Amino acid sequence: MEYLDKQFGVIELINGPVVKGSQMASFKVNEMVTVGERQLIGEVVSLEGDIATIQVYEETEGLKAGEKITATGSPLSLHLGPGMLGNMFDGIQRPLKKIEEISKVFIPEGIGLLSIDEDKEWEVKLAVQKGDVLKPGHVYATVQETLSILHKIMVPPYLKEGTVVEVKPDGKYKLKDVVAVIEGKDGQRSDLTLMQKWPVRRPRPSGKRVPIYKPLVTGQRVIDTFFPLAKGGTVGLPGGFGTGKTVTQHQLAKWSDADIIVYVGCGERGNEMTSVLEEFPALIDPRTNRPLMERTILIANTSNMPVAAREASIYTGITMAEYFRDMGYDVAIMADSTSRWAEALREISGRLEEMPAEEGFPAYLPSRLAQFYERAGCVETLGGEEASVTIIGAVSPPGGDFSEPVTENTKRFVSAFLALDKKLAYARHYPAINYLTSYSAYIAMLEEWYKENVAEDMLSLRSKMIRILQEEEKLNEIVQLVGEDVLPNDQLLILEIARTIKKAFLQQNALHKEDTYVSLEKQYKMLVVIWTLHESTLACVKLGIPISTIRKQSVFEEVIKMKYDVPNNRIELLDLLCEKITLSYDALRQKYQ
Amino acid sequence: MRKEYLKLEKVEGPLIVLSNIENVAYDEMVEIKIDENEMRKGKVIKIEKDKVVVQVFEGTAGISTHNARVKFLGEPLKLPLSKEILGRTFNGMGEPIDGAYQVISAHKYNINGRPINPVARKYPRNFISTGVSAIDALMTLIRGQKLPIFSGSGIAHNELAVQIVKQAKIEGANSDNFAVVFGAMGVRHDDASYFMRSFEAAGVLDHVVMYLNLADDPITERISTPRCALTAAEYLAFEHDMHVLVILTDMTSYSEALREISSSRGEVPSRKGYPGYLYSDLSTIYERAGMIEGKEGSITLIPILTMPNDDITHPIPDLTGFITEGQIVLNRELNQKGIYPPIAILPSLSRLMKDGIGEDYTRKDHADLASQIFSSYSKVQDLRSLAQIIGEDDLGDVDKLYLKFGRAFEEKFVAQSSFENRSMIETLNLGWKILSILPQSDLDRLKPEQIKKYYKGKKE
């Protein structure tokens, strides 16, 4: 590495988180700097002549004109290595636990750059021998970071191919210990440690993209069955306040079948992050039987933390996600909420006195959103494995109005759109995902997978259910004008079945032990039960049996309550329920014939 | 001796601009002496080379470019705090206005505070019984929560706030160690004196600290009022282990003051002219509520805001709702029907309720009961619009029961007098009694054993 003379600039202007400095011609855009005597952390966002504009990641109170700005020589980068899982970081990867040790309850400014713990010793297994040829992305050591996740240490993408000339034995090492040395063809030697650095704003390289074909199974019925998500896909989750965005994001973080979850609390409530910290270690991953915290990384920039770090937090999250993807894992990143991130862009843009576009947002909002969502994908890694990053971005449209710029632009770049609906939330229909306006473009790509792994007719049952719900919506317009009583029996039946779909299937209780996570198999069987109910009752209606009589059969109630009554480990009870439905309505028909 | 500057370059709205200034820090306090007799305060809000923009708290009326002496104090606004503040009244900058002495303390507290580290927080779990049925049963207030009241002008939000202050009761040890911090931004004199009289009548005045910025006080002080109040609250809660209830009214006046200052600074406006940082700014107020691991005390925050034109999508209620943990929405129609408290149930919500109710806290059936009431009452609303078209007589029998349920719910459950203090159990039982108007088969959110135990209607 070339030796950089320390460079200094001088503060000229201070306006909230935006600082301008002079004599900074040798600084680079996106370079990290420290600002003022207390060495606040900042990043150069633009240069004009020798004047640099800097966004500061910490509170600027007390800063004076004339104080020094110091260059660090590198862009805002993360330390990537063991020690991230189960931890909570701020927007620029400073561990909040460590900050608490330094400063107790409140977060002060000027505590400097911290990152993952460099003093902790890890039990390392070396995976290479002298003479092995390593390319970027190849694994040379492993650390069992948590019982559920094996951390693979890879040759950083910025090194060239080389031959291993030195390798240490298995044993305990710290992050910056050299465990192997490779020599390139040009004879240049590079030390390999347990960590690498990567600038957050640059996507990590990977091999070619693999077409999407696997779902991200979430255990949430309305998602898995109606609007499935895909590994490597992008999802927008918009909803006004009180519609259950955060609960939905938490449910996805808990139950998605991704290997690693990166949860970015971007400009949200402090207590929500605390609840994740309290709740997740106690929750058990149904697939590995280990605490969910072992696969989770939390990034918290609560709404009262400095706004510039909020802008960075999204990039910090996605860079960590890509790093684990490069090991061959399926990673899902939840960003709650991207609107706060967009607003941070707007706030900083306003302070930079840039020309605003729609609703005061900067004109580059759509391109930033696109760049972010494009970092998702199912890829072949440099190491040759298949892996994915799925992005689930919550959007908080002001006033619940989906026509605002962030929602509109998000819609353009995501393929699944789960619209949270205020009216459903008011009726405590949770998850309040609107079953008529939401969509998932992954249905077609996942069809094969569902046929092979769940059931041949899963998706056709799904379409039938959706048709009933659409029909109900139309009938509801009539009902609102003239009441239900005037409808003929077959239409009344549609209303009843639609209600059953909503109550028994779409509504899912996140707080209920059996209902919080439901396997695909059980979801399918529940669909079959509802369809059986529809078929049997339709036959009764055709005979002229009044709806009230049909509705009174006790088996109807059983269907509505099956989500609570049938435990997840006894789903064969649903087959029995189907038989019972058929028998019960056969008997009813016989009485009328 | 600090330097004094005698010449202003510009006076505009609440701002003054000085040039040729050295060694000034961002957010630093400023003293301005006008015509050698009047003293005002301000703070630095922008530094550009040797030019400094200062926001004057008491307003710039009477200031010319030559009659003021400006002194920079070298530190941000700090409050001296001791337990002596209980029972006292201060202005929006923390100066006493009750005629008594200034509080003396060795340590001064920066009113801007610093964000609480999320890992240091303790998740709030214990409920506060307010004695108001609608709140206790359906949007339970939790100790350490921030739960705003969304109201409109002329609706009884002040009465409700006072009732909550009077009746709020917490369970467990240390429960008498409480304080109320009251911050008023731009409220009318009679509103402020209403609060003062009510606190006095309730006999809690010794536990109350007031920070008052009245409607005719300078708008710039409105910005510091809630920060002073919360700094005092943090001091009482986290250094003296007190349970502090903070009432801030009216957040709409606060936001308007912010907008006025922003526009006089010539900033790029975002929605409805409010500055782009309104969300970040509001959050630095609301997020100061909470509890901390290892400390006994708590800050429960009830901000009151009047929704302009009763519009819940207006930026102030909208952004507030995204930060706070739920909201209590008051409704003009109920208010006009004479229902007090006029709480609109459906849009109201307490996000922390789910972890603070149930078997260990209130009663096992609480969560399901609340969910059932929400769901049944939401059906009432649909039926009411239908009944308006086809007339109530043409509705089915069950639908008529729903309308009956709706009326009973509003008149007997939501409505109560401002002196009535219902216990949690009374409230839950009342909820069951009213739900019993509906047929048992329609109660699909309740478990059979709960229905067996509490349902009072015709059993099927």
Side-chain angles (χ1 to χ4, degrees), chain B residues 80-144:
Chain B
L81 292 171
S82 77
K83 265 196 123 171
E84 303 294 309
I85 56 171
L86 289 170
R88 301 284 308 273
T89 306
F90 303 91
N91 69 7
M93 293 172 62
E95 293 160 343
I97 50 169
D98 49 5
Y101 55 92
Q102 173 62 282
V103 175
I104 298 166
S105 151
H107 192 70
K108 289 180 162 188
Y109 296 81
N110 182 346
I111 64 155
N112 293 323
R114 283 294 175 267
I116 301 179
N117 191 330
V119 300
R121 276 182 190 269
K122 180 158 75 185
Y123 191 71
R125 283 184 199 278
N126 282 313
F127 73 98
I128 298 178
S129 153
T130 65
V132 178
S133 287
I135 297 178
D136 284 353
L138 303 171
M139 54 212 82
T140 319
L141 179 64
I142 304 292
R143 200 194 298 170

Side-chain angles (χ1 to χ4, degrees), chain B residues 362-377:
Chain B
T362 55
R363 202 167 79 183
K364 203 176 170 187
D365 56 319
H366 189 159
D368 293 324
L369 177 70
S371 163
Q372 182 65 58
I373 291 179
F374 275 122
S375 136
S376 302
Y377 188 63

Side-chain angles (χ1 to χ4, degrees), chain A residues 315-335:
Chain A
Y315 296 105
T316 300
I318 190 83
T319 306
M320 289 182 181
E322 285 174 343
Y323 173 67
F324 279 98
R325 174 204 67 193
D326 291 347
M327 294 179 206
Y329 290 119
D330 288 319
V331 187
I333 169 172
M334 279 105 205

Side-chain angles (χ1 to χ4, degrees), chain B residues 23-64:
Chain B
N23 204 26
V24 164
Y26 189 68
D27 252 353
E28 178 173 343
M29 286 297 289
V30 179
E31 255 178 25
I32 304 139
K33 203 169 194 183
I34 303 158
D35 290 335
E36 301 300 324
N37 51 33
E38 197 193 340
M39 190 72 109
R40 293 188 193 173
K41 283 194 169 163
K43 76 169 183 183
V44 175
I45 56 170
K46 189 173 177 179
I47 303 173
E48 192 163 4
K49 293 182 184 165
D50 60 352
K51 217 156 98 186
V52 170
V53 182
V54 174
Q55 169 186 325
V56 184
F57 285 122
E58 293 91 338
T60 49
I63 298 184
S64 84

